[in-house]
Amino acid sequence: MAIDAHQALLLFLFLLLTWLLMKTRIFKKQNKNRPPSPPKLPFIGNLHQLGSLPHQSLWQLSKKYGPVMHLQLGKMPTVVISSAEAAKEVLKTHDLDSCSRPPLQGARRLTYNYQDIAFSPYGEYWREIRKICVVKLFSVKRVQSYESIREEEITNMINSISHHALSSPSSPVDLTEKLFALTASFIFRMAFGTSFEGSDFNHNKFNEVVHAAEATMGSFSAAEIFPFVGWIVDWLSGLNQKREKVFHELDGFFQRVVDEHLNPRRTKPQQEDIIDVLLKIIKEQSGFGAAMLTEKNIKAVLLNMFLGGVDTSAITVIWAMAELAKKPSVMKKAQEEETFRLHPAGPLLLPRESISQFKVNGYEIQPKTLIQVNVWGIGRDPKIWSDPEEFIPERFVDSPIDVKGQHFELLPFGSGRRICPGIYMGTRTVEHGLANLLYNFDWELPSGMKEEDINMEESTGLSLSLSKKTPLKLVSKKHLFA
Ligand code: HEM
């Protein structure tokens, strides 16, 4: 939206006022034992240093300022953690001191005021909703009960690629599209009891909504950067309107599926889906101490499934296939952990917020500090990994390191109280998806393309997940034995 001269002057005056207010507050609060920090600019602090790929810029900055680094992101004091030792101190030793979430505006709207699991601040409500979901939705038993859905959807994907391989043998398959469709179909059937095909979303629309929602939740709005007046900037820049649009799209969809489930004439499917499970909990209201659950809570949890479950697994398999296509010799020995090291779907985990004061590496972290753990950087730390930029799946053969949050050099699912509860579900989808692609087909580059031509760039911008910038297109050859 264009801003005229009058609005620009008003904005300038507001920003000046904000800066003066911030300066007095910041200087009052500064403490001597704060972690090292790059130089800051007025108003924005270190925001300009985040760049278009924040995890990469922060990794470069940490080489100069150290593994515990202080940044001022507008009004938000922030600490960036960039080593396995410091990550262990934060996520294990001081897990309880640091396991809240910052009240980000984008997340607030989309999560019905933080009524989900992922963005809910630490407290009674989060403990209860997480416990219920871990027991009822994410348990090994529940995940196994959806195994047949996963297998069916994987078979559908394999059949569709086979059909393509037979009908147009030399034309490449868009694996990015196939894998998003696979994970979306699985989550749709498991969570909503509906098929992705024939739902409100076609492939493009779905991608658009998921990415808009992730960008909304992953980025900072002016409201949290500039006190008092930031909301005006968000309004003038159109951010609020974009946020409202994506909220209404998602809310409308979630409400429709919840209503369908409440319809007494609905034919009950053989297996209860996640909405059935959550509605049953509401009906019984058993075991929930903090508050009564309502439909809003269901919709907030569905949002976590929608965003947490679709993108992450698809992105991981896409990066794995891209790395393997670059190194055909290792394609047969592929192990998914390597992808988790080089291309963690959440490169900075989800932001934490400190609750009380504590020390990391001898530096003091104040309460209400935003904490970002750069697991992308830690996964490429030459002090930990030999040839850190190289994709060498063999490095995990006979290695005790796993992705379950106890090895701080490899944290694709985070660690501590806020570790991803979908870890089992996510790894099953990644393992099965990848194994089936490799078992059923030989993969080749499109004619005329060399291994070094594969674009390995990461998609830019503040978002929660780290996808490949360009779609991965490879030629599939059906195995004779498969
Ligand atoms: C390959 C697949 C996946 C990856 C790489 C992944 C990664 C992550 C990461 C990095 C976090 C933040 C952890 C932290 O802040 O320490 C997280 C949190 C979360 N994930 Fe996942 N995830 C995956 C699959 C899933 C699935 C399938 C679901 C649900 C269907 C899910 C639901 C969640 C939720 C609800 C949280 C928030 C937990 C909390 O704040 O208490 N994730 N995930």
Side-chain angles (χ1 to χ4, degrees):
M1 179 192 281
I3 303 178
D4 65 26
H6 183 66
Q7 286 171 326
L9 180 66
L10 269 179
L11 187 62
F12 173 74
L13 288 174
F14 271 130
L15 291 177
L16 189 67
L17 178 69
T18 314
W19 181 59
L20 289 171
L21 284 167
M22 267 171 54
K23 252 183 101 128
T24 37
R25 281 166 60 116
I26 289 165
F27 284 128
K28 232 193 282 164
K29 279 191 189 161
Q30 244 172 32
N31 80 73
K32 289 204 182 70
N33 204 12
R34 209 171 64 176
S37 169
K40 306 175 186 52
L41 288 178
F43 296 125
I44 59 173
N46 301 97
L47 263 181
H48 61 298
Q49 283 150 329
L50 288 186
S52 57
L53 290 166
H55 55 285
Q56 292 197 17
S57 319
L58 293 174
W59 181 234
Q60 290 312 323
L61 283 173
S62 77
K63 290 181 185 162
K64 187 160 176 204
Y65 295 95
V68 185
M69 176 171 68
H70 184 276
L71 299 182
Q72 190 67 40
L73 302 180
K75 69 176 178 183
M76 289 188 297
T78 303
V79 165
V80 182
I81 300 296
S82 313
S83 75
E85 295 77 27
K88 186 172 178 183
E89 277 193 64
V90 172
L91 302 175
K92 190 169 181 181
T93 319
H94 295 290
D95 187 19
L96 187 55
D97 298 316
S98 67
C99 67
S100 200
R101 297 280 189 218
L104 299 177
Q105 291 307 309
R108 188 183 70 76
R109 186 64 173 131
L110 263 57
T111 60
Y112 308 84
N113 220 6
Y114 313 116
Q115 298 205 48
D116 66 331
I117 311 171
F119 288 90
S120 170
Y122 179 71
E124 183 67 9
Y125 175 76
W126 170 78
R127 272 199 304 273
E128 292 292 340
I129 189 94
R130 181 165 168 127
K131 193 170 75 193
I132 284 190
C133 291
V134 165
V135 174
K136 303 271 185 192
L137 309 182
F138 296 112
S139 67
V140 171
K141 199 170 143 222
R142 175 73 61 186
V143 174
Q144 280 169 353
S145 77
Y146 294 123
E147 205 76 339
S148 59
I149 299 184
R150 188 193 338 269
E151 292 312 318
E152 260 176 49
E153 291 302 334
I154 288 179
T155 307
N156 289 347
M157 175 181 76
I158 296 297
N159 288 345
S160 133
I161 299 176
S162 300
H163 179 73
H164 182 101
L166 289 174
S167 57
S168 5
S170 52
S171 93
V173 176
D174 187 337
L175 271 174
T176 301
E177 187 191 323
K178 295 278 177 223
L179 286 162
F180 270 106
L182 165 71
T183 51
S185 307
F186 172 55
I187 293 287
F188 264 63
R189 284 184 61 191
M190 182 194 69
F192 313 130
T194 59
S195 156
F196 171 57
E197 305 294 334
S199 71
D200 297 16
F201 297 106
N202 62 27
H203 176 73
N204 289 340
K205 180 73 190 162
F206 179 71
N207 259 351
E208 193 192 301
V209 175
V210 168
H211 293 132
E214 286 194 341
T216 304
M217 299 181 76
S219 58
F220 303 119
S221 56
E224 49 234 354
I225 293 170
F226 307 113
F228 312 120
V229 294
W231 63 272
I232 299 180
V233 181
D234 287 336
W235 183 69
L236 288 175
S237 70
L239 183 74
N240 281 351
Q241 294 83 323
K242 272 193 217 150
R243 193 183 284 160
E244 284 306 302
K245 183 167 178 267
V246 64
F247 169 76
H248 286 295
E249 260 165 342
L250 286 172
D251 181 60
F253 169 67
F254 293 148
Q255 191 59 55
R256 268 193 301 286
V257 280
V258 170
D259 288 344
E260 274 162 32
H261 283 69
L262 288 169
N263 183 347
R265 278 182 302 218
R266 170 177 178 249
T267 23
K268 286 255 180 282
Q270 272 182 332
Q271 196 180 5
E272 54 179 12
D273 59 48
I274 282 173
I275 300 183
D276 291 321
V277 177
L278 291 167
L279 283 170
K280 206 161 37 170
I281 296 170
I282 291 197
K283 213 167 156 197
E284 293 164 2
Q285 287 292 343
S286 58
F288 199 83
M292 295 291 275
L293 285 183
T294 67
E295 281 174 24
K296 274 198 184 149
N297 303 90
I298 295 193
K299 290 192 282 182
V301 170
L302 291 179
L303 176 85
N304 282 180
M305 301 247 151
F306 196 74
L307 297 186
V310 176
D311 227 11
T312 45
S313 311
I315 285 172
T316 308
V317 183
I318 291 162
W319 279 116
M321 287 300 291
E323 288 287 358
L324 290 168
K326 275 184 100 68
K327 279 204 166 176
S329 59
V330 298
M331 207 174 237
K332 295 279 178 291
K333 303 181 217 159
Q335 280 210 338
E336 70 290 345
E337 280 87 349
E338 182 73 3
T339 325
F340 282 135
R341 178 183 74 83
L342 275 177
H343 307 287
L348 296 170
L349 301 183
L350 291 178
R352 284 186 165 219
E353 188 182 80
S354 55
I355 299 169
S356 37
Q357 193 189 58
F358 61 94
K359 282 190 178 173
V360 179
N361 270 13
Y363 296 115
E364 250 165 49
I365 314 288
Q366 299 298 324
K368 294 225 165 287
T369 301
L370 185 97
I371 301 174
Q372 296 274 199
V373 182
N374 193 346
V375 296
W376 182 92
I378 296 172
R380 290 167 186 245
D381 188 345
K383 290 194 217 86
I384 305 173
W385 310 99
S386 55
D387 297 321
E389 303 288 329
E390 284 296 305
F391 180 73
I392 313 172
E394 295 91 331
R395 74 167 90 227
F396 288 103
V397 175
D398 296 330
S399 157
I401 299 177
D402 64 36
V403 294
K404 294 181 195 149
Q406 292 307 312
H407 298 99
F408 292 81
E409 54 276 64
L410 188 67
L411 295 173
F413 294 94
S415 178
R417 285 174 171 73
R418 288 287 188 165
I419 194 171
C420 174
I423 182 166
Y424 182 62
M425 196 185 286
T427 42
R428 292 292 290 165
T429 307
V430 168
E431 278 167 12
H432 277 212
L434 190 57
N436 273 280
L437 287 175
L438 297 179
Y439 174 79
N440 285 285
F441 305 99
D442 275 329
W443 293 94
E444 290 170 9
L445 296 176
S447 100
M449 196 170 161
K450 295 197 210 66
E451 273 103 47
E452 56 273 25
D453 297 333
I454 300 180
N455 184 340
M456 298 299 274
E457 276 177 277
E458 296 169 338
S459 114
T460 54
L462 285 166
S463 179
L464 294 176
S465 57
L466 183 60
S467 41
K468 197 174 156 304
K469 190 171 180 179
T470 53
L472 178 66
K473 296 187 179 179
L474 296 175
V475 176
S476 56
K477 302 270 175 221
K478 188 106 178 94
H479 278 158
L480 287 178
F481 60 81

